[in-house]
Amino acid sequence: VNQVANLTLVSSACDVISTAYASTKESHPYIRSVCDAAEKGVKSVTEATASCVQPVLTTLEPHVAAASDYASKSLDKLGEKLPLLQKPVEQIISDTKELVASRVADAKDAVSG
């Protein structure tokens, strides 16, 4: 999970979402009250679940470690094959806009020619 969270694309997407969430909460009082209630509920459920799940996690720890190692190696390979994962969301959007603009310009040239 940490390795996925540290991917530039994932990290920057989380930042964008977090900023939008905070801005929306700040701008809309009704949404803020709903979000605050939801956050408290999630926190309570998380705390209650953590104590119940801990014994199971302790038992499964060797299997979780093996799965984690496999996932880590797979993510490394995926990162090599998809360099897009190392770019921030803003750069991907910018690159996509440039590509679309270029293709539209090419299409206009082809039609006018």
Side-chain angles (χ1 to χ4, degrees):
V1 171
N2 287 337
Q3 191 173 357
V4 171
N6 287 329
L7 290 171
T8 305
L9 176 61
V10 174
S11 171
S12 69
C14 288
D15 290 344
V16 168
I17 292 167
S18 178
T19 300
Y21 178 76
S23 174
T24 301
K25 275 181 66 174
E26 194 62 35
S27 302
H28 304 283
Y30 295 116
I31 292 176
R32 180 184 319 129
S33 61
V34 171
C35 290
D36 288 343
E39 289 170 13
K40 288 177 185 174
V42 168
K43 184 177 179 184
S44 297
V45 169
T46 302
E47 289 170 354
T49 304
S51 61
C52 296
V53 173
Q54 190 58 46
V56 175
L57 289 177
T58 302
T59 304
L60 295 176
E61 189 169 349
H63 304 292
V64 171
S68 178
D69 185 52
Y70 178 75
S72 178
K73 290 176 183 174
S74 297
L75 279 170
D76 288 342
K77 288 180 185 177
L78 188 62
E80 291 170 11
K81 293 183 180 186
L82 294 173
L84 180 76
L85 296 173
Q86 304 305 327
K87 294 182 179 181
V89 170
E90 295 84 2
Q91 184 179 357
I92 293 169
I93 291 170
S94 174
D95 291 351
T96 303
K97 285 180 181 178
E98 288 177 20
L99 179 63
V100 169
S102 172
R103 298 294 186 218
V104 168
D106 292 346
K108 281 183 181 178
D109 291 344
V111 169
S112 64

